[in-house]
Every structure is written in C-alpha cells, then in structure tokens.
Amino acid sequence: MPKTTIVSPSNIAFIKYWGATDLASAVPENASLSMTLRACHSRSTVEHVDRSGEHEIRWRGTDGGLETAPPAFAQRVREHLDRLLDWAGESGFFRVATENSFPAAAGLASSASGFSALTLAVLGALGRAESHAMQSELARRSGSGSASRSVLGGYVQWPAKALAPDGAKDYAFQVHPAEHWDLRNVVVIVETGAKETSSLEGHRRARTSPYFERRLRDLPGRLEAVRDALACRDFDRMGAIVEAEAVDLHCVAMTSAPPIYYWKPATLTVLEAVRGLRSAGVSAWATMDAGANVHVLCQPDDEDAVAATLGGLPGVDRLIRDGVGSGPFADDAHLF
Ligand code: DP6
C-alpha cells in the first residue's frame, strides 16, 4: 500500500482560542488568529491497510528509534483514525509513525502540528484530495482546535461558528501568505516538562472565570485591530495587542475555578526582559500559550539582539529560533 508522509508546522496564536462550546470536537467560543511556524513541526507517515486489524501507532522515542506510542497519546490518535475512517466511509486500519522536530521534553504543544500532519497524511493515504476548508475541519475534529489552523501557511484565522457572518464557517482560512511579512518567533523554553494542566482542561474551566464574558466581548474588536495592523505591517501596534491578549488569557486561566497558573518565575523574568528590550529600542513582543514558555515575536533585524538577551537569562533552558512558514507539505522521507 502506498504511504504518505506529511510535514506540518505548529502555529502561535496572536488571538487565542480559549473556551469551547463543544470540547470534544473543539468548537470554539471565540475566533482566533495565528502565525504558522516552520522550525517547530511534526512529521507523520501513514499507510492504509485495507483488511481488518488494529491501528499501529508508533512515535520517535527518546533513544531515537520508533517505538509503540504511550497509551494516552495512542488512544487520542486511534480515536481520530477511527473518526477519519468513518468520515471517509472506508474500512481497514492504519500504520502510523510520528515525530516532532522539537524535543517533546521542551514542553511545547505538539498537538497542533501533530494532528494537522496526521489528518493530512491519512487523507493522502486514502487518496482523498480535499479543500483546505475540509482539511481544517477534519483536523479540528481531533479535539486539538489549534490543529485546524496548522493545515494552512502564513497568517490564519479560525472563525467561531456563532460569530461568523454566514453562521457556518468553522474552518480556518488564510488571511495572508507567509510572504506578506517575515516575522520571527524566538521561543524561550523555561519549562522542559509536561505542563500540569492541559489546554483541554483550561478550555473546560474558562467559563468559571468572572472575566471570561468580558474577554469574549473584547475579542472581536481585538481581532479586527490585529487584522488591521497585520495588513499594514505595523509591528508595534500589533505586538502591543498580541502581548496584552496573551496576558488576558492567562488572567482568565488564573481566575478560573480551580485556578490554573501556567507561568513559572522564569516566565516573568522573560517578560521583564522583553519590556527591557523595548525600552532599549528593540521591538519585541511576547505571547504565551497554555504553558510557561514565552514566544517572543520580532522582525528579522532584531532577532539576534532578542536571542542574545533572552538566551542568557536565569531559568532559560534553551531557545528555538522560528518564524513564519508556508504550511504543510508532502515529503518522500517516510518514517518507516
Ligand atoms: C492557548 O485545544 O488547540 O494554545 O491541542 O493542547 O494544542 P492543544 O490545544 P488546543 O488549545 C490551544 C490553546 C492555546 C491558544 C491557541 O493556540 O489558540
């Protein structure tokens, strides 16, 4: 049977998805907007076997070899494979292998890139050429909402059904291609282990925060402001909104019941250093997902200065220098 291998990047949200009306299939409470990355990506090889059998799910282990994926991860993948078989009206099983360009121990979310790569590789293995809209929709149904943005390159918006003008769009679309603006993302790793509270749990608790409704009211205007600054490449205007938006999400998390504190002391150290960079005339703005690591956005001319300052801070394990990318692609280097 022919194999398909897809490399799919991760993405960093400027306006973040937080809270879902349907958690299992990631129907968001709010529209979000992200930049697709390039250095942080997942590679997934999928083979469809058209006879009865169990899905075989392997991943790249810490010793460098392919090994049977751990139960919790394998279960999520298995459910998505069944969902895709069902959707396609196919039978049989899949052989799957997956790896990340960034170490799993770096504490970076790999589910956006992972479920985007897996979904696209399954579609390839089934010989199904689908629209970006359908790819995005299917990736979303994995339960990793951010995966719905990773099927596209450049700058990507994922509307919330309820907020979309036609009431129907819940798939992501490209706002600008990567060539629109060469932005960089210096990822500052301060947490190398798995986070204590998953995004899934964060989404579940979001409504318990007294600030959640206020956040939902503010978001459409904030999204429009980011869209506008992005369109005219006004970095400082956009960066200020993006940084405030990340802090807003963390305020909601910290005031949920029970509260979720994703930040570590080193997160604040990095945020302070980013403000210091700005005072010194270097334009850099921070954003944080549901974790302690800080994504520092900057323009190419400032990247070295940003990396030099942040790489040496106490509590910083390492940096990953990333930037805007063009989205997933098929590749001949199969994992098995
Ligand atoms: C804070 O449910 O997509 O990153 O599957 O763990 O990646 P994972 O999370 P998901 O929620 C993403 C939450 C966020 C914001 C965002 O990326 O929009």
Side-chain angles (χ1 to χ4, degrees), residues 11-13 15-18 26 32 76 109-112 143-147 149 158 195 198-200 203 249 288-290:
N11 66 78
I12 179 68
I15 299 289
K16 301 188 188 276
Y17 154 47
W18 202 242
S32 57
R76 250 189 109 180
S110 54
S111 51
S144 171
S146 49
R149 299 186 307 243
W158 172 31
K195 59 192 180 206
S198 65
S199 310
L200 205 65
H203 294 304
L249 180 151
M288 292 77 62
D289 278 345

Side-chain angles (χ1 to χ4, degrees), residues 25-114:
S25 51
V27 179
E29 291 260 22
N30 68 278
S32 57
L33 187 141
S34 59
M35 174 173 98
T36 299
L37 301 174
R38 52 180 183 242
C40 292
H41 60 251
S42 300
R43 174 182 297 268
S44 187
T45 298
V46 173
E47 181 181 16
H48 179 226
V49 185
D50 199 9
R51 57 180 154 78
S52 60
E54 297 284 304
H55 300 306
E56 294 169 21
I57 302 156
R58 288 177 296 163
W59 77 355
R60 175 88 53 214
T62 38
D63 64 357
L66 282 183
E67 54 189 48
T68 302
F73 173 78
Q75 184 54 25
R76 250 189 109 180
V77 170
R78 199 172 293 119
E79 283 167 15
H80 195 49
L81 295 174
D82 286 341
R83 188 179 292 124
L84 292 171
L85 271 182
D86 207 42
W87 166 83
E90 298 269 358
S91 54
F93 67 92
F94 294 106
R95 291 200 179 97
V96 173
T98 177
E99 68 176 21
N100 296 324
S101 66
F102 45 98
L108 290 175
S110 54
S111 51
S113 53

